[in-house]
């Protein structure tokens, strides 16, 4: 069954698009975590980063050049932003169709808290 993102890209489900080309599409996250929250998604359905191959390198590079362009178009290139890719369970991935979160438009907040192995005990 097609992923929810494939269905958005195919126009079967509404999406608020900000970018589209032959390799990637980008649209607003349905539940934004920051003032700007865009999902950059390959048109080809690849479940996780663990599934990419050398053949996908052009598309993976395009995700970054699309991010740069979208940030410029949305006026957040100078203030900065964060790009996030989650992978599988430990990475917190919910939708199994690779995507890059572009978040910004305001301070995104601290990176991960410092690693404390004792908290695992
Ligand atoms: P993940 O946790 O997999 O990295 O992120 C999945 C993201 O997809 C979440 O931020 C969630 O809000 C977003 N999302 C889930 N379903 C939909 C949807 O139907 N439309 C859009 N635009 N975003 C969605």
């Amino acid at each position: 069954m097609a992923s929810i993102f494939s269905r958005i890209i195919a126009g079967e489900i509404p999406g608020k698009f900000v970018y589209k080309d032959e390799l990637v599409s980008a649209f607003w996250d349905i539940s934004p975590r920051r003032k700007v929250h865009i999902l950059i998604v390959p048109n080809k359905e690849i479940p996780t980063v663990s599934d990419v191959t050398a053949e996908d390198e052009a598309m993976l590079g395009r995700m970054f050049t699309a991010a740069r362009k979208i940030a410029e178009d949305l006026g957040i290139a100078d203030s900065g932003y964060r790009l996030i890719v989650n992978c599988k369970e430990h990475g917190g991935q919910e939708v199994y169709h690779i995507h890059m979160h572009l978040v910004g438009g305001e301070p995104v907040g601290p990176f991960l808290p410092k690693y404390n192995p004792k908290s695992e005990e």
Side-chain angles (χ1 to χ4, degrees):
M1 193 183 142
S3 76
I4 190 95
F5 292 163
S6 286
R7 297 181 68 199
I8 291 170
I9 291 166
E12 294 168 18
I13 295 175
K16 212 171 137 194
F17 284 85
V18 294
Y19 182 88
K20 190 160 193 173
D21 66 26
E22 80 283 11
L23 293 177
V24 306
S25 300
F27 44 86
W28 281 83
D29 195 291
I30 202 168
S31 178
R33 313 289 172 100
R34 291 294 179 274
K35 198 168 173 185
V36 171
H37 187 169
I38 305 295
L39 300 171
I40 302 169
V41 186
N43 297 335
K44 173 183 167 188
E45 192 169 322
I46 302 170
T48 78
V49 172
S50 296
D51 301 301
V52 298
T53 69
E55 284 180 11
D56 300 316
E57 285 173 1
M59 173 275 289
L60 294 165
R62 188 68 62 83
M63 289 172 79
F64 277 89
T65 49
R68 190 210 68 212
K69 183 175 188 314
I70 293 161
E72 287 168 4
D73 290 348
L74 297 180
I76 63 168
D78 289 343
S79 50
Y81 47 90
R82 187 170 295 162
L83 301 172
I84 302 165
V85 179
N86 297 320
C87 181
K88 296 186 179 172
E89 187 185 351
H90 282 192
Q93 184 175 2
E94 289 172 10
V95 176
Y96 276 61
H97 180 157
I98 289 180
H99 50 282
M100 177 187 275
H101 299 256
L102 187 167
V103 286
E106 60 186 333
V108 174
F111 188 50
L112 296 173
K114 284 202 172 172
Y115 180 55
N116 179 6
K118 287 187 178 160
S119 67
E120 299 274 308
E121 290 171 3

Short mmCIF file of all heavy atoms in Angstrom, two decimals, residues 1-17 20 27 45:
data_model
loop_
_atom_site.label_atom_id
_atom_site.label_comp_id
_atom_site.label_asym_id
_atom_site.label_seq_id
_atom_site.Cartn_x
_atom_site.Cartn_y
_atom_site.Cartn_z
N MET A 1 0.84 -1.20 0.00
CA MET A 1 0.00 0.00 0.00
C MET A 1 0.88 1.25 0.00
O MET A 1 1.91 1.30 0.67
CB MET A 1 -0.89 -0.02 1.24
CG MET A 1 -2.01 1.00 1.21
SD MET A 1 -2.94 0.94 2.76
CE MET A 1 -3.27 2.65 2.99
N ALA A 2 0.45 2.23 -0.77
CA ALA A 2 1.25 3.47 -0.87
C ALA A 2 1.30 4.18 0.48
O ALA A 2 0.34 4.16 1.25
CB ALA A 2 0.63 4.38 -1.92
N SER A 3 2.43 4.80 0.76
CA SER A 3 2.56 5.56 2.01
C SER A 3 1.68 6.80 1.96
O SER A 3 1.29 7.25 0.87
CB SER A 3 4.02 5.98 2.22
OG SER A 3 4.34 7.06 1.37
N ILE A 4 1.43 7.36 3.11
CA ILE A 4 0.63 8.59 3.17
C ILE A 4 1.31 9.70 2.35
O ILE A 4 0.65 10.49 1.69
CB ILE A 4 0.42 9.02 4.65
CG1 ILE A 4 -0.59 10.14 4.77
CG2 ILE A 4 1.69 9.41 5.34
CD1 ILE A 4 -1.97 9.68 5.05
N PHE A 5 2.65 9.72 2.35
CA PHE A 5 3.36 10.76 1.59
C PHE A 5 3.24 10.51 0.09
O PHE A 5 3.12 11.46 -0.69
CB PHE A 5 4.82 10.85 2.03
CG PHE A 5 5.02 11.36 3.44
CD1 PHE A 5 6.22 11.18 4.10
CD2 PHE A 5 4.00 12.03 4.11
CE1 PHE A 5 6.41 11.65 5.39
CE2 PHE A 5 4.17 12.50 5.41
CZ PHE A 5 5.38 12.31 6.05
N SER A 6 3.28 9.23 -0.34
CA SER A 6 3.09 8.95 -1.77
C SER A 6 1.70 9.41 -2.20
O SER A 6 1.52 9.93 -3.31
CB SER A 6 3.22 7.45 -2.05
OG SER A 6 4.56 7.06 -1.98
N ARG A 7 0.73 9.25 -1.34
CA ARG A 7 -0.64 9.64 -1.69
C ARG A 7 -0.78 11.17 -1.76
O ARG A 7 -1.52 11.70 -2.57
CB ARG A 7 -1.62 9.02 -0.69
CG ARG A 7 -1.60 7.48 -0.76
CD ARG A 7 -2.56 6.85 0.17
NE ARG A 7 -3.93 7.13 -0.23
CZ ARG A 7 -5.00 7.02 0.58
NH1 ARG A 7 -4.83 6.62 1.83
NH2 ARG A 7 -6.18 7.28 0.13
N ILE A 8 -0.04 11.86 -0.90
CA ILE A 8 -0.04 13.33 -0.98
C ILE A 8 0.63 13.77 -2.28
O ILE A 8 0.11 14.62 -3.02
CB ILE A 8 0.68 13.94 0.25
CG1 ILE A 8 -0.15 13.70 1.52
CG2 ILE A 8 0.96 15.43 0.05
CD1 ILE A 8 0.56 14.04 2.82
N ILE A 9 1.78 13.16 -2.60
CA ILE A 9 2.52 13.53 -3.81
C ILE A 9 1.68 13.24 -5.06
O ILE A 9 1.69 14.00 -6.03
CB ILE A 9 3.88 12.79 -3.85
CG1 ILE A 9 4.80 13.33 -2.74
CG2 ILE A 9 4.56 12.92 -5.21
CD1 ILE A 9 6.02 12.47 -2.45
N ALA A 10 0.91 12.14 -5.01
CA ALA A 10 0.05 11.78 -6.15
C ALA A 10 -1.21 12.64 -6.23
O ALA A 10 -1.98 12.55 -7.19
CB ALA A 10 -0.34 10.30 -6.04
N GLY A 11 -1.46 13.48 -5.22
CA GLY A 11 -2.64 14.35 -5.23
C GLY A 11 -3.90 13.67 -4.73
O GLY A 11 -4.99 14.23 -4.83
N GLU A 12 -3.75 12.47 -4.17
CA GLU A 12 -4.93 11.75 -3.66
C GLU A 12 -5.40 12.30 -2.31
O GLU A 12 -6.55 12.17 -1.94
CB GLU A 12 -4.60 10.25 -3.48
CG GLU A 12 -4.32 9.53 -4.79
CD GLU A 12 -3.71 8.16 -4.57
OE1 GLU A 12 -3.81 7.62 -3.45
OE2 GLU A 12 -3.13 7.63 -5.53
N ILE A 13 -4.43 12.89 -1.58
CA ILE A 13 -4.70 13.51 -0.28
C ILE A 13 -4.17 14.93 -0.38
O ILE A 13 -3.09 15.13 -0.96
CB ILE A 13 -3.97 12.74 0.85
CG1 ILE A 13 -4.51 11.33 0.98
CG2 ILE A 13 -4.06 13.47 2.17
CD1 ILE A 13 -3.76 10.48 1.99
N PRO A 14 -4.87 15.92 0.16
CA PRO A 14 -4.39 17.30 0.04
C PRO A 14 -3.06 17.52 0.76
O PRO A 14 -2.81 16.92 1.82
CB PRO A 14 -5.49 18.14 0.68
CG PRO A 14 -6.60 17.22 1.02
CD PRO A 14 -6.15 15.81 0.87
N GLY A 15 -2.24 18.35 0.17
CA GLY A 15 -0.98 18.75 0.79
C GLY A 15 -0.71 20.19 0.43
O GLY A 15 -1.08 20.64 -0.65
N LYS A 16 -0.07 20.90 1.36
CA LYS A 16 0.24 22.32 1.12
C LYS A 16 1.68 22.38 0.59
O LYS A 16 2.63 22.49 1.36
CB LYS A 16 0.10 23.08 2.45
CG LYS A 16 -0.36 24.51 2.34
CD LYS A 16 -0.67 25.06 3.71
CE LYS A 16 -0.11 26.46 3.87
NZ LYS A 16 -0.08 26.92 5.26
N PHE A 17 1.80 22.27 -0.73
CA PHE A 17 3.12 22.13 -1.37
C PHE A 17 3.87 23.46 -1.41
O PHE A 17 3.28 24.51 -1.65
CB PHE A 17 2.97 21.60 -2.79
CG PHE A 17 2.66 20.13 -2.84
CD1 PHE A 17 1.36 19.67 -2.73
CD2 PHE A 17 3.67 19.19 -2.97
CE1 PHE A 17 1.06 18.31 -2.75
CE2 PHE A 17 3.40 17.83 -2.99
CZ PHE A 17 2.09 17.39 -2.88
N LYS A 20 8.27 21.22 -5.80
CA LYS A 20 8.12 19.92 -6.45
C LYS A 20 9.01 19.88 -7.69
O LYS A 20 9.03 20.84 -8.47
CB LYS A 20 6.66 19.69 -6.85
CG LYS A 20 6.40 18.27 -7.31
CD LYS A 20 4.91 17.91 -7.23
CE LYS A 20 4.78 16.41 -7.40
NZ LYS A 20 3.51 15.85 -7.21
N PHE A 27 6.18 19.73 1.31
CA PHE A 27 4.89 20.29 1.74
C PHE A 27 4.93 20.52 3.25
O PHE A 27 5.79 19.96 3.96
CB PHE A 27 3.73 19.36 1.35
CG PHE A 27 3.99 17.90 1.60
CD1 PHE A 27 3.74 17.34 2.84
CD2 PHE A 27 4.51 17.08 0.60
CE1 PHE A 27 3.98 15.99 3.07
CE2 PHE A 27 4.76 15.73 0.83
CZ PHE A 27 4.49 15.19 2.07
N GLU A 45 9.23 6.03 -3.41
CA GLU A 45 8.96 5.60 -2.03
C GLU A 45 10.08 4.68 -1.53
O GLU A 45 10.21 3.54 -1.97
CB GLU A 45 7.61 4.88 -1.97
CG GLU A 45 7.15 4.66 -0.55
CD GLU A 45 5.70 4.21 -0.49
OE1 GLU A 45 4.87 4.70 -1.29
OE2 GLU A 45 5.40 3.35 0.34
#
